[in-house]
Amino acid sequence: MSPKESLLGRFANRSAVVGIIGLGYVGLPLTLRFIEQQFRVIGFDIDTERVSLLNHGESPIRHIPAASIEAAVKHGFVATSEFSRAKEVDVLIVCVPTPLNKHREPDLSHVRASVRSIVPHLRAGQAISLESTSYPGTTEEELLPLIEEHGFKAGRDVFLIFSPECEDPGNEHYSTRTIPKVVGGITPDCLAVGKAIYGAIIDVIVPVGSTRTAELVKLLENIHRAINIGLVNEMKIIADRMGIDIFEVVKAAATKPFGFVPYYPGPGLGGHCIPIDPFYLTWKAHQYGVHTRFIELAGEINRAMPLWVMQRIADALNMAGKPVKGSRVLILGVAYKKNIDDIRESPSIELIRLLQERGSTVIYADPYVPAVNAPDQYPGLSMRARVCDAKTLATQDCVVIATDHDAFDYELIRNRASLIVDTRGRYELVAGRIVRG
Ligand SMILES: NC(=O)c1ccc[n+]([C@@H]2O[C@H](COP(=O)([O-])OP(=O)(O)OC[C@H]3O[C@@H](n4cnc5c(N)ncnc54)[C@H](O)[C@@H]3O)[C@@H](O)[C@H]2O)c1
C-alpha cells in the first residue's frame, strides 16, 4: 500500500494519531475536535507550564472548559515538549503564532523553529499541515525546503498541506466542526491527504488548487474585515462631526436584506489576526512591486482610533469641567473583543497608556482578565482588575466602555457613572452623561 493510501485508510478508520504543534487558541479546539472523533492526539508546545497544566486536565483558555481538557486526558491526550515524539504521529498540524516584528514585517521564527524541531524525527508516510496565518508562498518557500533537506519528496513520502485556521473564539453559532475548512496541497496527492485529515472532523471541506491559494484565502478574509472596519471607523468620525449616531446608521443600513454587511466601529483593532495578518500580504506584495493601498489606509485609520477615543474622553471631561490630568478613569473591558479573555493587541491597553501619559489615574474592570501583567507584550504595565460595582463606579470621573462584555451590568453603569464614553454603541440613548467614543 502506498503511503498516501495508508494515510487515507488510517483517517477513515480513526486509527491515525494526530500531532498538534502549538496548544493555544487554535491548537486546543482542534485537539478537542480530533478527540471527539475518537483520534488519539499528542500535543506539542515549548511552553512547559502550559504542557503541565494541560496534562493535569486544566485549561489555559477561559472559553475552553477544564472539563473538556480533563476528558481529553482520560481519552489518552498528552501534551509534551519532547519533539522526538513527532515520529509517533501520522500528521503534524502546526498552529504556532505568526506575529509581526518591530519593523512590522512577518516574523516566521515560531513556524521555522517548530518545523525545525520536528523534521529530524520525520518518517515517510507522515503529513504536515500548516495552519498559522501567513503570506502566499510560505508553505512552499519555508516548509518544503526544510523537508526536502531531509531527503523527503512532498506528495510521495511526506504530504504537505496548508489549511488556514478560522477559529472565532467566543462565537456561539459556529464551532471548529461547522466552520468550512479551506485546504490546499503542494501536489494533488497532498491535497487528497489534506481532505482526508480534515474531512474526518469538519463538515465542509473547501479544496483549493494550491497552498498559495489557501494562504491568500485566509488573508483576503482578514483584509476584508480590516478594511471594512477602517471604513466604518472613518464613517464614525464623519458622523460624529455631523452629530449623527454611527451605530444607528449601521443598524438601519443592515436592515437591507442584500448587498450590505454590517461592521461596527470601535476603539481600534485588536487580537492576533486583524491588526497583523494584512501586513503579511503588504510585505509579500512589495516583492512583486505592488503597493497594498487599501490595507495601508485601513491600517492608518484603525491605528489612529485609540487616539481619537482619547480625544473624545478629553472633550467629555472638559464638558464636565474636568481636566484629563488628575481625573479618575475606569476602562471597562481590556480583552480585544467581548466575552473572551485575550488581550493581544488590545486597543484598551493603548487607551490606558494614552490616559496615563496625560496624567489620569486609570483603573480597569474585566471579568475575564484578572490582571494585565504581560511584560513581553506590554512592558512596564502591571494592573489588577477592579470589580465594576456601584462603589467603584461612583468614585470615577469617567467610565469608558472599551469592550462591551455581556457580563457587565449596563443598567448599573448607566445609573451610577457620572460620565460614560461608549465606544461600542452599547447605549442607544446618547445624551448628557453618555457620549459616543
Ligand atoms: N486566535 C485566533 O482566533 C486565530 C484565528 C485564526 C488564525 N489564527 C492563527 O493561528 C496561529 C496560532 O494562533 P493562536 O491564537 O492559537 O496562538 P496562541 O499564542 O494562542 O498559541 C500558540 C501556541 O504555540 C506555542 N508555540 C510557540 N512557538 C512554538 C514552537 N516553536 N513549537 C511549539 N509550540 C510553540 C505557544 O507556546 C502557544 O501555546 C497564528 O498564526 C494565528 O494568526 C488565530
Side-chain angles (χ1 to χ4, degrees):
M1 199 189 290
S2 72
K4 173 188 147 194
E5 281 162 1
S6 160
L7 266 180
L8 296 187
R10 289 167 70 72
F11 275 93
N13 68 19
R14 308 289 194 259
S15 63
V17 181
V18 176
I20 306 283
I21 306 180
L23 302 168
Y25 284 89
V26 167
L28 272 179
L30 196 62
T31 298
L32 297 178
R33 181 64 196 140
F34 274 109
I35 287 167
E36 232 171 69
Q37 288 302 296
Q38 312 306 320
F39 288 93
R40 196 159 79 75
V41 180
I42 302 179
F44 298 86
D45 206 297
I46 50 169
D47 182 342
T48 48
E49 236 172 81
R50 178 163 291 214
V51 163
S52 156
L53 199 74
L54 289 166
N55 285 332
H56 283 92
E58 288 170 46
S59 173
I61 296 174
R62 193 195 72 85
H63 65 270
I64 300 180
S68 309
I69 306 289
E70 213 176 314
V73 171
K74 280 200 184 113
H75 190 86
F77 167 66
V78 281
T80 180
S81 299
E82 275 295 321
F83 286 83
S84 59
R85 295 196 65 182
K87 57 180 172 294
E88 296 173 35
V89 306
D90 292 284
V91 61
L92 288 148
I93 302 183
V94 181
C95 312
V96 298
T98 43
L100 293 172
N101 66 19
K102 60 176 192 262
H103 306 296
R104 299 195 62 77
E105 292 164 344
D107 172 6
L108 286 180
S109 58
H110 301 284
V111 171
R112 290 190 191 111
S114 62
V115 176
R116 283 210 182 94
S117 40
I118 54 168
V119 281
H121 314 289
L122 271 190
R123 55 174 173 78
Q126 284 180 310
I128 300 179
S129 176
L130 178 62
E131 294 216 6
S132 304
T133 309
S134 189
Y135 54 77
T138 305
T139 312
E140 256 177 42
E141 294 160 20
E142 295 285 337
L143 270 60
L144 186 58
L146 285 175
I147 288 159
E148 286 177 341
E149 263 172 33
H150 280 74
F152 296 108
K153 177 121 185 78
R156 189 188 63 199
D157 31 31
V158 167
F159 300 89
L160 195 50
I161 297 145
F162 183 84
S163 180
E165 177 49 57
C166 298
E167 197 61 31
D168 185 17
N171 190 324
E172 287 168 5
H173 305 292
Y174 294 98
S175 63
T176 308
R177 176 176 75 80
T178 56
I179 301 170
K181 193 98 168 97
V182 172
V183 181
I186 290 283
T187 68
D189 279 353
C190 294
L191 176 60
V193 169
K195 281 161 65 181
I197 295 167
Y198 290 108
I201 58 158
I202 285 162
D203 293 350
V204 178
I205 301 298
V206 184
V208 294
S210 66
T211 51
R212 303 162 75 84
T213 306
E215 286 154 346
L216 189 54
V217 168
K218 175 68 192 174
L219 290 182
L220 172 64
E221 194 189 292
N222 282 344
I223 290 164
H224 161 93
R225 266 189 294 159
I227 287 172
N228 279 286
I229 294 168
L231 171 67
V232 82
N233 275 334
E234 187 173 69
M235 292 291 285
K236 168 171 85 167
I237 296 171
I238 299 165
D240 182 71
R241 286 279 168 84
M242 295 176 168
I244 300 167
D245 180 5
I246 187 65
F247 289 92
E248 195 181 356
V249 173
V250 179
K251 279 180 199 152
T255 58
K256 187 181 171 188
F258 48 85
F260 182 82
V261 180
Y263 285 86
Y264 291 92
L269 291 184
H272 186 276
C273 297
I274 309 296
I276 290 172
D277 299 347
F279 297 96
Y280 268 68
L281 187 65
T282 296
W283 179 84
K284 193 66 179 174
H286 283 163
Q287 288 182 9
Y288 289 81
V290 182
H291 187 51
T292 53
R293 285 175 292 169
F294 270 115
I295 296 175
E296 303 281 3
L297 180 60
E300 204 178 293
I301 294 169
N302 290 328
R303 273 202 299 276
M305 268 309 117
L307 196 55
W308 189 83
V309 174
M310 175 65 240
Q311 192 53 51
R312 297 293 289 137
I313 298 169
D315 292 347
L317 282 167
N318 188 45
M319 292 299 283
K322 294 173 182 171
V324 176
K325 190 174 170 134
S327 64
R328 286 159 300 176
V329 181
L330 166 65
I331 299 285
L332 292 184
V334 289
Y336 78 86
K337 71 171 180 177
K338 68 188 219 172
N339 304 338
I340 66 162
D341 61 355
D342 191 345
I343 60 167
R344 289 177 293 179
E345 308 285 326
S346 174
S348 306
I349 307 282
E350 178 69 13
L351 269 178
I352 290 173
R353 280 201 194 289
L354 290 170
L355 282 159
Q356 286 178 336
E357 273 166 24
R358 284 157 181 75
S360 297
T361 302
V362 190
I363 57 172
Y364 84 90
D366 191 314
Y368 308 125
V369 185
V372 174
N373 195 356
D376 293 352
Q377 279 177 72
Y378 302 118
L381 193 67
S382 177
M383 296 172 81
R384 295 201 71 77
R386 305 293 182 91
V387 180
C388 179
D389 57 12
K391 205 169 142 210
T392 308
L393 288 163
T395 59
Q396 300 302 303
D397 298 308
C398 181
V399 174
V400 181
I401 299 176
T403 307
D404 57 336
H405 293 306
D406 291 330
F408 289 129
D409 182 343
Y410 291 97
E411 218 22 62
L412 178 79
I413 297 165
R414 189 207 296 267
N415 292 335
R416 297 301 171 102
S418 57
L419 179 64
I420 300 171
V421 174
D422 177 8
T423 73
R424 298 287 184 175
R426 192 78 200 200
Y427 294 107
E428 281 185 6
L429 287 176
V430 183
R433 289 183 306 111
I434 306 175
V435 298
R436 286 275 183 259

